[in-house]
Amino acid sequence: MPPLTEGRTPGDFLLFEENSHYSREVATIAAGADLEPGAVLGKVTASGKYVLSAQDAADGSETPVAILLSVAAAAEADVVNAIVMVRHAQVRRFGLIFDATWSSEALRDTACAALGNAGIVAI
């Protein structure tokens, strides 16, 4: 029997969320990359869509504001109805997926502080 491999799940990073899924929203992930649960997202100001937050972006997505909870196969097209964590949550920092531009611990500290401003505490 071949071994089974489980992909990433919210259990890899999510420690606490508010009751009745208050911490979550349904969102659109912009086309451009396949993303896994735990991806740190920024919101593009012009479109309102979420993308992997890149520190050097200049479209609003440079500020981390959410964390992806569901798989988003967005390499070819936008993913609608993705579930994102946007408020009142506690996450495991080392379970998060950052864009390569958040290359040092100091920069990731900055990203986690921005998530904290959104009400997502990374420990």
Side-chain angles (χ1 to χ4, degrees), residues 2-108:
L4 299 177
T5 303
E6 180 179 23
R8 290 184 55 86
T9 68
D12 294 330
F13 60 89
L14 183 59
L15 297 172
F16 168 81
E17 69 175 307
E18 195 60 55
N19 289 332
S20 301
H21 301 297
Y22 176 75
S23 303
R24 302 177 182 196
E25 283 186 2
V26 176
T28 299
I29 306 299
D34 290 337
L35 301 176
E36 294 183 330
V40 176
L41 305 175
K43 192 173 190 177
V44 177
T45 305
S47 67
K49 297 176 183 177
Y50 290 89
V51 296
L52 189 62
S53 180
Q55 183 210 6
D56 57 357
D59 58 4
S61 66
E62 67 274 11
T63 304
V65 296
I67 298 172
L68 185 64
L69 286 174
S70 58
V71 173
E76 302 289 324
D78 290 355
V79 173
V80 296
N81 298 326
I83 307 298
V84 295
M85 181 77 51
V86 295
R87 68 182 78 79
H88 297 287
Q90 188 176 48
V91 296
R92 184 177 296 112
R93 174 189 172 140
F94 295 106
L96 300 178
I97 301 169
F98 292 90
D99 180 77
T101 58
W102 300 101
S103 58
S104 70
E105 285 305 310
L107 291 174
R108 290 180 180 175

